[in-house]
Amino acid sequence: MNKRALAGLGLLLGLGWNTARPAAAQAPLDSLDGLTGKLLRYEQRGPHEKLFLHLDRPVYLSGETLWFKIYAADGTRARPLAMSSVAYVEVLDADHQPVLQTKVALQKGSGQGSLALPTALAAGSYTVRAYTSWMKNFSPEAYFHRPITVINTLSASGASARDSATSYDAQFFPEGGHLVRGIRSRVAFKITDKAGRGVAAEGKVLNQGGAVVATFRTLRFGMGHFDFTPAAGPDTYTATITLGPKRVLTRPLPAPAEQGYVLRLDDTGPDQLTLTVNASGAPAETLALLAHSRQQVALATREPLRNGQAVFVINKSALLDGVSHLTLFNADRKPVCERLYFRAPQQLLAITGRADKAQYGTRDKVSVQVATAALPAAEASNLSMAVYRLDSLTTTPGPGIDRYLWLTSDLQGTVENPDYYFTATGPEAAEATDNLLLTQGWSRFRWEDVLAAPKPFEFLAEPYGPVIQAQVLRAGTRQPQAGISTYLASPSRIVDLSVAASNAQGIVRFEPNRFSGPHDIVLQTDPGQDSTSLLTVLSPFSGRYATGPRPAFGITPRFQQDYARRHFQAQVQNVFAGKYRNRYAAERVDSLAFFGKPDETYLLDKFTRFKVMEEVLREYVPGVVVRIRKDGFHLLVVDRINKAVLSENPMVLLDGVPVFNINKIMAFNPLKIRKLDVLDGRYFHGPAVYNGIVSFTTYKGDLEGFPLDPRVLVQEYEGVQRQREFYAPRYDTPEAAKSRLPDLRNLLYWNPDINLTGPTAKTLDFYTGDQAGRYLVVLQGLATNGLAGSRSFVLDVKPAL
């Protein structure tokens, strides 16, 4: 195993997981007959990784650029996590199908990127989702999701505002997971429109005979709950929901079980929760309760089930910040019920942002002082900041990173107004929070996986860059081929070759050292070992999608003037500033070949040029011996250390691409070759051993028309995206301020990489444009100690007099 593989293994197994955990210390490692130990070992095997994307704004026009900052965090403790070096970002349409895909490099737990929205992109509601290769091992519900709106002012959308309100959905959730006949149960409900927004409604529950057994009414965000007792026998229950004078929904309730467990969680004191378990048909047994947050154990306890009831009293202070899962296990240690509880985090990253003026004029300088108050001097924080114009088309901005890491990422589906659950107080807020947790429970893992014998994860982390995967199949039968050495190269003047052997599923994995932007990749096997296999490059993007409501979109006639105004602004910006859209930051390039410094290097322009490759090698390259046998030419490298000629052909490369047919390279025009490198001696390269290396490099690095074998797979493949530079004009001179070029920017400022140390402040400068109005400043940030926070405020820009 090479050093990189060993380091990757250590990354997955360790990664700081020996950090002391005061809360977890309340539960012995193997309490509850080993349940806690299995969960902790599962956490160590499968680190919990979360991504959060700060998008520059919520609404875009087709043709504009979407900018984003990626925060990668340890899902257990919310600290920046440098586990993955690549994030996969997609834009999904209303049918959950990708319309844009990209790969973004991550460094030290953060990254930045952009997506140019095509001018032909249809108007509608889309979802931006992001994940890493490691996250593909778990449910797609755990990926980051954020809705955005795209308006195409160049074509009709075909949608109207009325279309978004023509259907509703109603769901019912028994507390703990089950209804059991003869046991009183609390049932939560959620009633939403087509876009997933809660709506006001009232309803009643009818039994099979039509009698009303319960009534209910929605509270905040279309949620609420009611109590009722399913009767013994074959009775079924149906809810009739009234949304208005002419809108009535009918939905069945979950079918009650004949026997089982029902739990109920009640807030019974300032620092006390009471969880009551009622069971039907269960013998006297000892039940186990495990409270855990993000795979971190907080509480493990037992209570006997007597006369069909058990009561657990829980101190709120024993639970961890964020969403806690209260999982109930029977005597066989099988999970039978689960309930969620939310404890708002005790401390967040306090971000302060203050503008230097109360209001600004057009083309005026804005100075914003940013700091992280109360952050210890030893801790650092990384922030991002966007400033965009507020208008009638701007929808509610997305949640802050603190709301995401501590609440919404641990719940299934869409959470309306996450800020409410962090800021609201009183009995109404407590009931709304409880209704949310009753209706949107979800766990990143399955208990079956935790309790079963450990199995290898299908997808590996990518700590060193994007991993390119391909499959080797037998021609005709398309059966996987194991143990086949496969080579990956991308034609270039920088020589970088990867080699891997296929596993039992025929999968080969390559880790190119440098791979950004689009490239042609060349994939092949050694014809001396295999000459019939079929090669297929596998997509690195996830093919699984989270369930949820279809995003709704509608064109509102009363906003027609706003659409026209935004269209005009976008077209003006495209004409006068379009040339700045695709400026990219310079990349640092390592020109050293994968084999390091060669033993011999020949720049052929410094020698007399011959028109035959054989003459070039015989005249100028003493380290390579040319032999002619029955099957044609052979090249043999002279082992410099042992002073002997190696008996087999070396690895011959042309612009980094392996050439196994020596006759072809000898027939190639040497006048197209700029440089020749030779490695004198055997070279160990992953599973392969080369009898020296002879590397030819052309002037352009594009093979110069060299005829590849028909078996070779050549395919365009895109690595991590190059970093596009954000452009904003500066009016710091009288001449610039008087420029006649219009400035109708909707996005004034975007800075994805603001680094602060402790409470130190930093001043950020930018300039307003020609549009008066109100501009929203949004700051997001994550500190090295796991504190996350967000902050927003408004700038007023007045028109010029």
Side-chain angles (χ1 to χ4, degrees):
M1 185 177 291
N2 59 36
K3 292 182 179 179
R4 293 178 73 178
L6 285 172
L9 180 62
L11 181 70
L12 294 181
L13 295 181
L15 205 61
W17 256 258
N18 58 351
T19 306
R21 285 176 256 175
Q26 299 175 17
L29 178 62
D30 276 317
S31 61
L32 302 185
D33 300 328
L35 283 176
T36 59
K38 288 183 178 180
L39 180 58
L40 293 174
R41 282 187 285 271
Y42 182 82
E43 178 204 351
Q44 292 170 352
R45 285 189 60 245
H48 190 179
E49 189 176 27
K50 288 183 180 180
L51 295 185
F52 174 81
L53 266 63
H54 175 194
L55 307 186
D56 61 311
R57 47 193 158 159
V59 178
Y60 303 86
L61 262 59
S62 299
E64 290 185 334
T65 300
L66 182 156
W67 302 87
F68 57 85
K69 165 68 175 289
I70 303 177
Y71 294 89
D74 165 14
T76 302
R77 298 164 188 81
R79 297 170 185 160
L81 182 62
M83 175 178 171
S84 296
S85 63
V86 182
Y88 298 90
V89 181
E90 300 178 282
V91 177
L92 309 180
D93 63 15
D95 296 321
H96 304 294
Q97 295 303 305
V99 296
L100 291 172
Q101 295 178 318
T102 190
K103 309 177 189 77
V104 179
L106 300 178
Q107 289 186 347
K108 298 181 181 180
S110 69
Q112 53 184 288
S114 60
L115 284 167
L117 303 177
T119 55
L121 188 63
S125 290
Y126 293 83
T127 300
V128 176
R129 78 167 184 171
Y131 50 90
T132 64
S133 175
W134 179 253
M135 292 170 66
K136 292 193 292 183
N137 290 301
F138 309 98
S139 167
E141 302 283 353
Y143 302 167
F144 172 84
H145 293 83
R146 163 78 189 275
I148 61 169
T149 298
V150 176
I151 301 171
N152 191 327
T153 57
L154 299 175
S155 63
S157 72
S160 67
R162 292 188 299 273
D163 295 335
S164 63
T166 56
S167 63
Y168 297 87
D169 186 34
Q171 300 178 66
F172 294 87
F173 306 88
E175 184 173 15
H178 312 285
L179 291 174
V180 178
R181 296 193 184 278
I183 301 180
R184 188 169 183 81
S185 299
R186 177 184 289 159
V187 179
F189 57 87
K190 183 176 183 180
I191 303 171
T192 58
D193 61 15
K194 188 177 181 180
R197 297 183 295 263
V199 295
E202 59 183 24
K204 50 191 176 182
V205 178
L206 309 177
N207 63 13
Q208 203 167 348
V212 177
V213 296
T215 59
F216 57 87
R217 181 189 299 270
T218 57
L219 300 175
R220 277 191 174 270
F221 310 121
M223 295 180 288
H225 66 264
F226 59 88
D227 290 357
F228 96 111
T229 305
D235 218 353
T236 59
Y237 299 92
T238 303
T240 301
I241 305 143
T242 304
L243 296 117
K246 297 181 180 179
R247 293 195 181 98
V248 177
L249 296 179
T250 301
R251 294 288 187 273
L253 263 64
E258 296 297 329
Q259 297 179 343
Y261 302 82
V262 171
L263 62 78
R264 182 186 186 98
L265 183 68
D266 293 301
D267 193 331
T268 52
D271 191 37
Q272 180 177 290
L273 299 171
T274 300
L275 190 143
T276 305
V277 181
N278 290 288
S280 172
E285 60 179 336
T286 299
L287 302 178
L289 179 67
L290 183 63
H292 55 98
S293 298
R294 305 168 301 281
Q295 300 175 201
Q296 186 176 7
V297 176
L299 179 69
T301 185
R302 293 184 176 92
E303 288 293 340
L305 182 70
R306 296 192 181 99
N307 300 320
Q309 188 176 82
V311 178
F312 296 86
V313 178
I314 304 169
N315 289 328
K316 295 179 184 177
S317 58
L319 301 178
L320 303 176
D321 288 349
V323 176
S324 292
H325 292 71
L326 307 177
T327 308
L328 183 72
F329 297 83
N330 63 12
D332 296 328
R333 296 302 174 254
K334 294 182 179 179
V336 292
C337 290
E338 188 164 86
R339 178 67 154 85
L340 303 188
Y341 177 78
F342 176 66
R343 181 185 180 191
Q346 302 300 301
Q347 187 178 6
L348 298 173
L349 182 64
I351 300 175
T352 61
R354 184 175 64 253
D356 61 331
K357 297 180 186 178
Q359 66 180 41
Y360 297 88
T362 56
R363 301 196 177 189
D364 200 358
K365 182 180 179 180
V366 181
S367 294
V368 175
Q369 190 178 71
V370 178
T372 48
L375 190 68
E379 302 290 345
S381 58
N382 184 252
L383 283 70
S384 50
M385 178 171 135
V387 183
Y388 63 89
R389 189 171 185 267
L390 294 170
D391 57 26
S392 56
L393 304 182
T394 304
T395 58
T396 305
I401 185 173
D402 46 348
R403 276 51 168 163
Y404 179 79
L405 293 179
W406 293 109
L407 178 64
T408 60
S409 61
D410 290 322
L411 299 179
Q412 187 175 24
T414 303
V415 177
E416 261 190 89
N417 192 8
D419 287 344
Y420 176 82
Y421 305 101
F422 284 76
T423 57
T425 58
E428 182 183 356
E431 186 175 16
T433 303
D434 206 42
N435 289 331
L436 173 72
L437 300 173
L438 282 166
T439 58
Q440 294 189 252
W442 171 76
S443 180
R444 170 179 175 268
F445 60 87
R446 299 186 314 133
W447 272 108
E448 292 85 348
D449 296 334
V450 175
L451 301 177
K455 296 180 181 179
F457 289 102
E458 180 181 359
F459 300 98
L460 301 179
E462 296 176 307
Y464 304 111
V467 173
I468 299 177
Q469 294 193 103
Q471 190 170 29
V472 184
L473 302 174
R474 189 187 302 275
T477 63
R478 300 190 70 83
Q479 293 298 312
Q481 291 272 72
I484 303 297
S485 294
T486 309
Y487 301 86
L488 174 76
S490 178
S492 171
R493 292 175 61 180
I494 301 175
V495 179
D496 188 15
L497 175 67
S498 300
V499 59
S502 57
N503 61 17
Q505 292 75 41
I507 302 297
V508 286
R509 295 182 173 92
F510 304 99
E511 290 186 66
N513 289 325
R514 34 190 175 259
F515 208 85
S516 62
H519 291 267
D520 283 335
I521 58 174
V522 179
L523 201 63
Q524 59 184 311
T525 59
D526 184 346
Q529 179 192 24
D530 168 80
S531 60
T532 60
S533 293
L534 298 176
L535 299 174
T536 304
V537 177
L538 304 179
S539 171
F541 293 95
S542 175
R544 299 184 300 150
Y545 300 92
T547 58
R550 179 188 175 106
F553 174 79
I555 294 294
T556 305
R558 65 189 178 93
F559 291 152
Q560 193 63 43
Q561 290 186 350
D562 299 283
Y563 297 139
R565 187 180 301 111
R566 283 292 301 272
H567 172 79
F568 174 74
Q569 294 163 358
Q571 296 308 308
V572 169
Q573 284 302 109
N574 188 53
V575 170
F576 292 99
K579 62 182 179 181
Y580 300 111
R581 284 192 63 193
N582 292 317
R583 297 197 311 179
Y584 293 91
E587 293 182 293
R588 297 178 62 183
V589 178
D590 181 4
S591 60
L592 192 65
F594 75 94
F595 49 79
K597 185 178 180 180
D599 297 313
E600 303 175 44
T601 296
Y602 302 93
L603 298 174
L604 298 188
D605 284 339
K606 293 184 177 182
F607 300 87
T608 301
R609 300 304 302 258
F610 295 103
K611 297 182 179 180
V612 179
M613 188 69 74
E614 181 182 359
E615 293 181 348
V616 172
L617 295 173
R618 290 187 186 276
E619 292 291 334
Y620 302 138
V621 190
V624 178
V625 177
V626 180
R627 291 284 187 265
I628 301 177
R629 298 173 182 169
K630 290 182 179 180
D631 56 350
F633 285 99
H634 288 259
L635 301 181
L636 305 179
V637 168
V638 179
D639 189 335
R640 184 179 55 175
I641 296 177
N642 299 310
K643 307 300 181 182
V645 178
L646 299 177
S647 59
E648 300 293 334
N649 287 326
M651 169 57 73
V652 177
L653 304 172
L654 178 62
D655 290 336
V657 177
V659 178
F660 296 101
N661 190 330
I662 305 300
N663 293 327
K664 281 190 174 182
I665 197 70
M666 297 301 287
F668 192 61
N669 185 358
L671 297 180
K672 296 181 178 180
I673 301 297
R674 172 182 172 270
K675 185 177 68 167
L676 172 61
D677 293 326
V678 181
L679 198 68
D680 299 332
R682 287 188 173 88
Y683 184 80
F684 295 85
H685 190 203
V689 180
Y690 308 141
N691 289 287
I693 297 176
V694 178
S695 176
F696 299 89
T697 304
T698 66
Y699 287 92
K700 297 180 180 178
D702 60 358
L703 300 179
E704 289 277 8
F706 181 82
L708 295 173
D709 191 291
R711 298 172 45 259
V712 173
L713 174 64
V714 180
Q715 179 175 320
E716 187 177 53
Y717 193 90
E718 188 159 358
V720 294
Q721 66 170 231
R722 296 181 60 196
Q723 203 167 103
R724 186 182 274 110
E725 290 185 331
F726 178 78
Y727 168 74
R730 297 184 62 84
Y731 301 110
D732 48 0
T733 65
E735 294 76 14
K738 294 177 181 178
S739 170
R740 298 180 62 183
L741 294 178
D743 182 358
L744 302 182
R745 289 173 293 142
N746 180 265
L747 178 67
L748 290 184
Y749 186 72
W750 168 249
N751 189 338
D753 194 23
I754 305 168
N755 293 295
L756 302 176
T757 302
T760 305
K762 179 175 286 189
T763 300
L764 307 173
D765 298 331
F766 58 93
Y767 289 82
T768 62
D770 293 336
Q771 292 193 93
R774 304 176 74 236
Y775 290 81
L776 185 66
V777 180
V778 180
L779 286 153
Q780 307 275 9
L782 181 64
T784 51
N785 62 357
L787 295 182
S790 57
R791 168 89 164 92
S792 62
F793 59 94
V794 174
L795 299 177
D796 285 319
V797 178
K798 299 298 182 181
L801 298 178

